Amino acid sequence: MTQQISPLAGKPAPQSILVDIPKLLAAYVDLTPDPSVPAQRVAFGTSGHRGSSFERSFNAAHILAISQAICEYRKGRGIDGPLFIGADTHALSQPAFENALEVLAANGVTTMISAGGEFTPTPAVSHAILTYNRGRTTGLADGIVITPSHNPPDNGGFKYNPPNGGPADTDITGWVQQRANALLENGLKEVKRMPLAQARQAATTHAHDYLNTYVADLGNIVDFELIRSAGVRMGVDPLGGAGVHYWAPIAERYQLDLTVVSAEVDPQFAFMTVDWDGKIRMDPSSKYAMQRLITLKDQYDVAFACDTDHDRHGVVCRSSGLLEPNHYLSVLIDYLYTHRPQWNASAAVGKTVVSTALIDRVVKRLGRRLFEVPVGFKWFSEGLFDGSLGFGCEESAGAALLRRDGSVWTTDKDGLVPALLSAEITARAGKDPGELYAQLTQELGRPFANRVEAAATPAQKAKLARLSPDQLKSDRLAGEKIEQVLDKAPGNGAAIGGIKAVAASGWFAARPSGTEAIYKIYAESFQSEAHLQSLLSEAQTIVDTALAGA
């Protein structure tokens, strides 16, 4: 049950593990998925459809089918405004973008593509949708983001964002998935498509300046005047991602002391250090993937990175190195709710069920309401949209928040803003977020946390997803009485797709993976590392007992 750390972890990527880009692109076109094989069908997880062309799980056929399904969905729902589309720097993103445009143009959808073919971060697409829709009740815009997030270089991803600007909920993705698979099964005969050159020249295809529109608005969410006057020295590593060309304009416009560590874009991501399992993964919350920036920490007051579509952040402090996502999120919440006076006094704090309970303690001290939801950022979109949530976050370093005046900014994750806020916090406090985290834990308790994985059959995964509180046979957890067993999130009553057990000084949650033959156990202790290990061990026994016979 312990993670096997690869001997390559944290080291520069060797030539032997680099993906063959020409082969990957050829497989995207040449390999046709078989819709009778479950792994080759369209499948929307928590973040859209993802896969690799080598495995026939992300190929031209998938993108043509999904794009046609989205056209039919929006037409059926009367969504007839422009569609904002953006793509990241993964090798499969460009051909997927081209296929999508061929279908969108053939269906007569007004499509906003990036000016000059610039890469587009996820938050810039959400921001564009919301900016366009402000004050409108008809002719609403929506969007597509082409990205597999921080996943390895051989992966592709495709997401749909409805007019609220956030990730599509399961009602929408379920419909699109079903229709796309029907189109696949019918050999794509019903897909409307025109040649790429024609699609680019179509009257419905328009260039949109995502970069400057987003950058020009950033001053309404981050206090750059404070950062500039305090002279905070910042470093940023875009990890070769979609925001790679955003950082220099941000530094120039707001006159910041901000150094871009590298502006290199390489579809092999050969400049990365290898992640824990021996794979290349552009994960800004992984100490193995973030070695380049960690080694530079003493050159800056605070440094940060974002993943490939720039919807996640990682903060590196001189005092403590790379901060765990849960640690920085706790500091960020504590800071924002005491330094955003224009936010609604009743604006709640959103977190997922597997995020740290330190957030619960921070929120209680702030006198705010906690809105705890299942895993998936879509649960926060509505609250961020109407201002009833000031902030929403998930344990994997994804977050979004309101503008300084309390109005909506993005309803999808934004990696750039929390990264820049680490500099605002440093400027205001005269301490970096690592020092503030240490202070926070002295006041509210220090959490010890880990996540482990165990093998699970499809039947066991299905049983775990449906577990109810009365199926847990134990009433004690690591020496304490279990106070709560949850199968639904307290914030919105939605099923968490697993189980969470809470005791006085610790908790665990177990849920099946959406993509792999494993289940994950998250655990946290406010006592010690030894207590955490007891939690993890007992949690696995409790879960395995409940799954027996599946």
Side-chain angles (χ1 to χ4, degrees):
M1 183 109 177
T2 54
Q3 285 186 336
Q4 288 298 312
I5 305 299
S6 165
L8 295 176
K11 296 175 182 169
Q15 185 72 30
S16 59
I17 70 167
L18 300 182
V19 65
D20 185 326
I21 299 297
K23 267 190 185 172
L24 183 75
L25 296 175
Y28 174 82
V29 177
D30 298 340
L31 298 185
T32 306
D34 179 351
S36 69
V37 178
Q40 296 179 29
R41 290 171 70 80
V42 172
F44 276 81
T46 49
S47 293
H49 174 78
R50 289 185 184 175
S52 172
S53 59
F54 290 141
E55 295 163 9
R56 298 179 195 252
S57 52
F58 190 94
N59 302 81
H62 293 107
I63 303 312
L64 295 168
I66 296 168
S67 300
Q68 181 63 37
I70 288 170
C71 290
E72 294 175 15
Y73 171 81
R74 67 195 307 274
K75 187 176 181 182
R77 295 299 161 102
I79 302 167
D80 54 3
L83 182 141
F84 290 88
I85 187 167
D88 77 2
T89 55
H90 276 80
L92 292 175
S93 295
Q94 188 58 33
F97 163 77
E98 292 171 355
N99 286 154
L101 185 60
E102 291 168 350
V103 174
L104 293 164
N107 280 272
V109 174
T110 299
T111 306
M112 311 300 279
I113 66 174
S114 66
E118 181 57 72
F119 305 116
T120 310
T122 289
V125 174
S126 180
H127 178 268
I129 295 167
L130 293 166
T131 302
Y132 182 86
N133 287 344
R134 191 174 295 132
R136 294 176 193 268
T137 52
T138 58
L140 297 177
D142 54 0
I144 288 172
V145 191
I146 302 171
T147 175
S149 192
H150 60 290
N151 280 22
D154 67 348
N155 275 223
F158 203 86
K159 299 193 300 182
Y160 174 64
N161 286 36
N164 74 359
D169 66 27
T170 45
D171 289 349
I172 299 172
T173 55
W175 191 96
V176 171
Q177 176 179 305
Q178 190 174 3
R179 178 59 181 146
N181 283 319
L183 290 164
L184 276 182
E185 287 161 4
N186 196 27
L188 304 179
K189 292 187 184 73
E190 296 169 82
V191 173
K192 295 177 184 174
R193 183 183 183 188
M194 67 169 62
L196 179 62
Q198 196 180 330
R200 285 191 179 278
Q201 296 300 316
T204 50
T205 301
H206 304 274
H208 179 72
D209 188 353
Y210 289 93
L211 190 156
N212 285 304
T213 307
Y214 176 90
V215 170
D217 207 6
L218 272 173
N220 289 310
I221 191 165
V222 179
D223 190 343
F224 289 115
E225 204 175 315
L226 177 67
I227 297 170
R228 187 171 57 249
S229 62
V232 179
R233 284 175 301 154
M234 295 163 276
V236 60
D237 191 343
L239 301 180
V244 64
H245 300 138
Y246 279 54
W247 294 102
I250 289 169
E252 187 180 349
R253 173 179 271 271
Y254 298 106
Q255 299 172 318
L256 305 176
D257 185 351
L258 173 64
T259 302
V260 181
V261 168
S262 170
E264 183 179 359
V265 174
D266 166 21
Q268 289 186 306
F269 293 90
F271 53 80
M272 289 295 297
T273 48
V274 180
D275 205 6
W276 67 273
D277 58 354
K279 293 182 179 179
I280 294 174
R281 198 178 281 110
M282 289 60 70
D283 180 356
S285 60
S286 163
K287 66 182 178 184
Y288 303 107
M290 285 278 280
Q291 277 303 304
R292 178 163 72 179
L293 196 58
I294 292 169
T295 59
L296 299 174
K297 73 180 177 68
D298 293 335
Q299 296 181 24
Y300 308 106
D301 296 317
V302 67
F304 34 82
C306 290
D307 67 340
T308 325
D309 68 324
H310 271 49
D311 74 342
R312 299 181 192 214
H313 60 273
V315 173
V316 175
C317 300
R318 188 181 285 181
S319 67
S320 57
L322 177 66
L323 271 177
E324 293 269 347
N326 273 317
H327 299 179
Y328 178 57
L329 291 169
S330 301
V331 170
L332 189 52
I333 290 164
D334 198 45
Y335 173 79
L336 286 169
Y337 282 81
T338 45
H339 293 91
R340 290 297 184 266
Q342 288 179 273
W343 284 10
N344 189 323
S346 63
V349 178
K351 66 161 239 189
T352 56
V353 289
V354 293
S355 300
T356 178
L358 183 59
I359 291 174
D360 305 41
R361 297 181 179 197
V362 169
V363 172
K364 186 176 180 184
R365 186 171 74 172
L366 288 165
R368 294 280 180 161
R369 181 172 64 87
L370 185 69
F371 180 67
E372 189 173 357
V373 299
V375 172
F377 207 79
K378 62 192 175 193
W379 303 109
F380 301 127
S381 298
E382 191 181 324
L384 290 164
F385 187 75
D386 66 19
S388 60
L389 273 184
F391 185 89
C393 66
E394 52 188 21
E395 76 297 335
S396 53
L401 56 141
L402 299 178
R403 294 166 184 264
R404 288 196 276 170
D405 68 2
S407 62
V408 65
W409 169 253
T410 61
T411 47
D412 208 334
K413 291 176 286 195
D414 187 329
L416 295 93
V417 167
L420 289 163
L421 285 170
S422 68
E424 183 187 321
I425 290 169
T426 303
R428 176 93 55 192
K431 295 176 181 173
D432 70 35
E435 294 169 296
L436 293 173
Y437 175 73
Q439 189 177 311
L440 200 60
T441 56
Q442 282 179 342
E443 295 161 359
L444 298 176
R446 180 186 170 196
F448 299 84
N450 201 357
R451 189 187 92 182
V452 291
E453 298 164 355
T457 65
Q460 287 173 323
K461 284 171 64 179
K463 188 170 182 182
L464 177 55
R466 294 192 306 268
L467 267 190
S468 62
D470 57 8
Q471 287 174 274
L472 249 63
K473 302 302 180 201
S474 178
D475 63 351
R476 297 190 73 74
L477 181 61
E480 295 181 323
K481 186 178 186 303
I482 293 177
E483 295 174 354
Q484 257 186 317
V485 181
L486 306 168
D487 61 350
K488 293 182 171 60
N492 60 359
I496 61 178
I499 208 89
K500 180 176 181 179
V502 184
S505 55
W507 60 269
F508 82 83
R511 56 187 295 272
S513 166
T515 52
E516 300 170 88
I518 57 173
Y519 70 79
K520 300 174 184 179
I521 290 180
Y522 305 77
E524 183 173 61
S525 163
F526 278 84
Q527 284 188 23
S528 64
E529 191 65 44
H531 184 244
L532 172 65
Q533 293 310 314
S534 297
L535 278 171
L536 286 166
S537 173
E538 290 187 29
Q540 189 175 12
T541 303
I542 290 168
V543 173
D544 287 346
T545 303
L547 295 183

